[in-house]
Amino acid sequence: MNLEVKHTGNGILTGKGQQYLGEKHQANGKAVTNGRSEDSVKQEANGKGNIPRKILNMYSWQEIQRHNQEANQWLVIDLKVYDVTGWAKRHPGGHQVLNHYAGEDAMDVFRATHLKPDIVRLYLKPLLIGELAPGEPSQERNKNSQLVEDFQELRRTLEAMNMFKANRVFLFLHLAQILILETLAWLMVWHFGNGWLVTIFISFLLVISQGQSSFLQHDTGHLSMFTKSKWNHLMQKFLLSHLKGLSTKWWNYQHFQHHVKPNIYPKDPDINVGPLFLVGDLQPVKYGKKKIKYIDYEKQHLYFYMVGIPLLIPVYFNMKSMQLMYFQRYWDDIAWVSSFYICYFITLGPFYGIFRTMLLIYVVKFLESPWMTYVTQMSHIPMKMSTEENRDWFSTQVLATCNVKQSFFNDWFTGHLNFQIEHHLFPTMPCHNYHKVAPLVRSLCAKHGLPYVSKPMLEAFGDIVQALKKSAALWRDAYYKTGNRSSALTHM
């Protein structure tokens, strides 16, 4: 059926009633809700307003799944079909995350990644092109509908328990820890001078400050600390750009892709680490069969110690961050990152000079790098990696992540990312609540026969190396088996 609404094929609706909910669309495409209260906006976004509902096109899953290319992207959210093709490049979380879900049901990922979904639905209104046809299931037929319903019920339960409400005291103490360490480092140099012992001591103070800044900016990047997105974004810029010298846009675009499709090749950029490392079961075999040998991959676990661990932050992160800021002309990020270096030159420059201040900055990053590398890789590298299997949100996250046992030290050392499963299922949940919801998540895993992996921290560290060795063995078998077969054919 196609009555009052016509679709132009570029993500825009035409026809009668083009403006929805009394919105005024500005030149930049943003919606203004005419100054009405948030409650009325939520009512209208939920379809509870007085505006009559329009009759829309009806689509089957077979038709929707055809629109899964970058130049043709449809999504299903709450039984409604949206064409996001023309709008994808303006998506605040990056266009890649929309492309990763093109042709799929995106209800759970939409709910998981947005702080106020009812408000976000206002921006989706002009992109609405239809609904699921009667008789079509609410998600793709290959997905476990009971598991999807159970997970959505779990989320409603956690919302009722206020598990998505942040503890401001926790935020204050975490931020105070960082600022006290930064200030103490400067006071030590100011009072005792720039001798070797003082420099070594303040380096470790700054390493701890930088590591904890990484964890807190991660929380604010997921909008989990404040009820308003703009305050989360501002705090993230302060923590990541001003205190650490990295671009928030680079971090968010990279990190959000990882979150929506963890350990799925090639959609998760965190596992697309070739040609230096080969991870999982698929990449090593692919390289081996194609006779690709940029390095001796049988020794990649040793390269991990020599290259991966020490250089992740001072080289890879900084290079990628600066590259994106420069080529995309992200002037606000450039200004914030510049303030990081200016602050160091003002506070420590008089004691060390410009060259030694820069050297100190990168020594701190070098020392921080092993800490962050182990914490970020221990929960994913040893877990299942695959190409797209179009699993439901719950299964996708649980199969690609594992936890580390809880203790006061483990919570502090990992920024509560030892509860990686809970974090991936509920990214906007404040990290101090992960341990409270873990038993409920474990119970749901048990009900549906899914593994809930939790291990001691040292075992998790060791599993990174074991996973790299396993991948190297797969590459070796494919590489030399292909070579032996080719050799045998030439002698026939």
Side-chain angles (χ1 to χ4, degrees), residues 301-341:
H301 61 288
L302 299 178
Y303 301 140
F304 176 73
Y305 288 115
M306 296 184 295
V307 178
I309 289 178
L311 301 183
L312 178 68
I313 291 179
V315 176
Y316 180 78
F317 276 17
N318 275 274
M319 179 182 68
K320 288 292 186 180
S321 170
M322 292 181 180
Q323 183 183 40
L324 183 75
M325 287 190 298
Y326 176 77
F327 286 110
Q328 298 297 326
R329 301 293 193 269
Y330 291 143
W331 299 115
D332 57 334
D333 274 17
I334 290 173
W336 276 97
V337 170
S338 298
S339 73
F340 163 77
Y341 291 98

Side-chain angles (χ1 to χ4, degrees), residues 142-156:
N142 63 295
K143 294 180 179 177
N144 184 338
S145 60
Q146 187 59 55
L147 175 56
V148 173
E149 291 175 12
D150 287 348
F151 172 70
Q152 292 174 352
E153 178 61 31
L154 172 60
R155 184 177 182 93
R156 288 190 288 270

